[in-house]
Amino acid sequence: MKRTNLKTNDLILQTVVKVVFFIIFIYSVYIFFAGHYTPGGGFVGGLMTSSAIVLLLLAYDVKTVASVIPVNFLKVAAAGLLVALGTGLASFLYGVPFLTHAHGPVHLPVFGEVEVASATAFDLGVYMVVVGVTMTIIQTIGETE
Amino acid sequence: MAFQLLLNVFIAFLWMFLQNTYTLVTFAVGFLFGLLIIFGMRRFFSTRFYLYNVMAVFTLLSIFMKELIMANVSVLKIILTPKLKLTPGIFAYETELTKAWEITVLSNLITLTPGTLVVEISEDNKILYIHAMDISNEEDARKDIRDSFEKAIKEVSR
């Protein structure tokens, strides 16, 4: 982000952001997984993740954030679309219509009995697209002089 | 401090493995035993026994709570006084703290207690510019910050 000529010491902002970033991030992960039974889901989760990164962009400059998170967000959006398409196509393997939802209890090593739904994978795709698109928009606007 | 805490957690996990019971209670018991062992070996570490730092954090919290209530009461008094006899102003405060988080905690504490507000930090992170509601007892405010907040923060990071 381009700053004004007035040089200020952002010490407090930067130190606080370093802590707050992780709180927002873990909350966005919680929101993402909460989506099935309680309010939340891939869209708000993705928006919240990108808002955490935007907070980093506000406290630091574009170059620092790009070196901290060396991710091409365009590719994230593309990968998200592929994940969403993949969950839809996977239903063909079982001979059911496109995007048919499958769910059921699965036994996981640590979590025990968990109700897993294929909609979560679709949601992950939504999440990635939202993060990718939002961050691409903000980074492209921020970089132009 | 972080190393001792990590070692303590490691000892607690080791205790769980030895007992072959993976519950919170076993973890707590192992943690207590680990605490005792680390206390016995406290001269072995380059930093002091970490429970002192934990206690210092709680001291800092209690100081903050006390100051917050006291300062709000004094602001209430000022608001309810019919005539304002205040001389607001900005004074410089030289801090001895060096680490970024220390300065951040100090400035947030100063800001959260009404009457004073950190407006700016100098480029070399040495001087805090503080706006005071009443600058007439500036030396008092300085001494107050140095004796309560800065001392407590130093105690935490020692």
Side-chain angles (χ1 to χ4, degrees):
Chain A
M1 303 274 145
K2 190 104 166 61
R3 301 193 164 278
T4 45
N5 289 328
L6 197 73
K7 216 179 168 201
T8 50
N9 193 347
D10 290 334
L11 182 90
I12 299 175
L13 180 69
Q14 290 178 348
T15 325
V16 170
V17 162
K18 262 182 215 162
V19 179
V20 168
F21 173 79
F22 295 101
I23 299 171
I24 299 178
F25 203 99
I26 194 67
Y27 190 63
S28 77
V29 173
Y30 163 74
I31 283 283
F32 171 75
F33 282 111
H36 205 63
Y37 294 111
T38 45
F43 186 74
V44 263
L47 271 187
M48 209 175 269
T49 306
S50 31
S51 74
I53 305 172
V54 168
L55 194 65
L56 274 187
L57 281 169
L58 287 176
Y60 298 89
D61 53 319
V62 173
K63 269 192 194 130
T64 323
V65 176
S67 69
V68 171
I69 311 169
V71 177
N72 186 349
F73 285 104
L74 260 177
K75 282 181 184 159
V76 172
L81 273 178
L82 277 179
V83 169
L85 187 68
T87 50
L89 290 177
S91 61
F92 287 146
L93 292 176
Y94 301 95
V96 281
F98 183 62
L99 272 178
T100 300
H101 177 67
H103 64 93
V106 174
H107 196 79
L108 290 175
V110 184
F111 300 100
E113 204 82 347
V114 182
E115 179 86 11
V116 173
S118 69
T120 314
F122 186 79
D123 233 17
L124 183 70
V126 174
Y127 176 89
M128 284 163 80
V129 171
V130 169
V131 171
V133 169
T134 319
M135 286 323 293
T136 311
I137 291 171
I138 286 162
Q139 278 187 338
T140 346
I141 294 172
E143 271 162 7
T144 46
E145 295 277 309
Chain B
M1 185 212 167
F3 172 73
Q4 288 181 38
L5 184 64
L6 201 64
L7 185 68
N8 206 163
V9 170
F10 177 71
I11 292 170
F13 269 107
L14 207 61
W15 181 261
M16 281 203 304
F17 287 132
L18 290 172
Q19 297 279 320
N20 212 11
T21 41
Y22 304 99
T23 56
L24 201 66
V25 179
T26 331
F27 184 83
V29 170
F31 199 85
L32 268 177
F33 278 127
L35 210 60
L36 279 176
I37 296 167
I38 291 171
F39 181 71
M41 294 294 284
R42 65 191 180 281
R43 289 172 200 88
F44 201 61
F45 299 103
S46 55
T47 51
R48 63 176 178 166
F49 183 51
Y50 81 94
L51 219 56
Y52 288 122
N53 296 64
V54 176
M55 264 144 72
V57 171
F58 284 105
T59 318
L60 187 62
L61 271 177
S62 68
I63 286 174
F64 167 67
M65 291 293 180
K66 198 193 93 199
E67 286 287 324
L68 191 65
I69 293 165
M70 301 268 280
N72 274 302
V73 168
S74 71
V75 167
L76 187 71
K77 266 185 204 157
I78 290 165
I79 293 167
L80 294 178
T81 315
K83 270 217 169 117
L84 269 183
K85 297 177 294 189
L86 297 174
T87 42
I90 294 174
F91 67 89
Y93 175 77
E94 274 182 49
T95 177
E96 291 159 27
L97 303 174
T98 46
K99 290 196 199 89
W101 73 265
E102 290 174 338
I103 296 167
T104 307
V105 168
L106 180 67
S107 9
N108 282 348
L109 281 176
I110 292 168
T111 306
L112 278 168
T113 51
T116 45
L117 176 77
V118 174
V119 259
E120 179 72 67
I121 299 174
S122 69
E123 270 306 302
D124 54 356
N125 297 339
K126 285 216 175 75
I127 301 165
L128 304 179
Y129 295 99
I130 301 169
H131 180 273
M133 211 162 53
D134 193 2
I135 207 162
S136 58
N137 49 6
E138 171 215 332
E139 264 319 307
D140 271 11
R142 259 210 195 104
K143 206 171 150 296
D144 218 34
I145 294 167
R146 199 176 297 275
D147 286 348
S148 60
F149 297 146
E150 202 167 329
K151 219 175 118 197
I153 292 170
K154 265 189 195 158
E155 195 63 27
V156 171
S157 63
R158 207 174 81 177

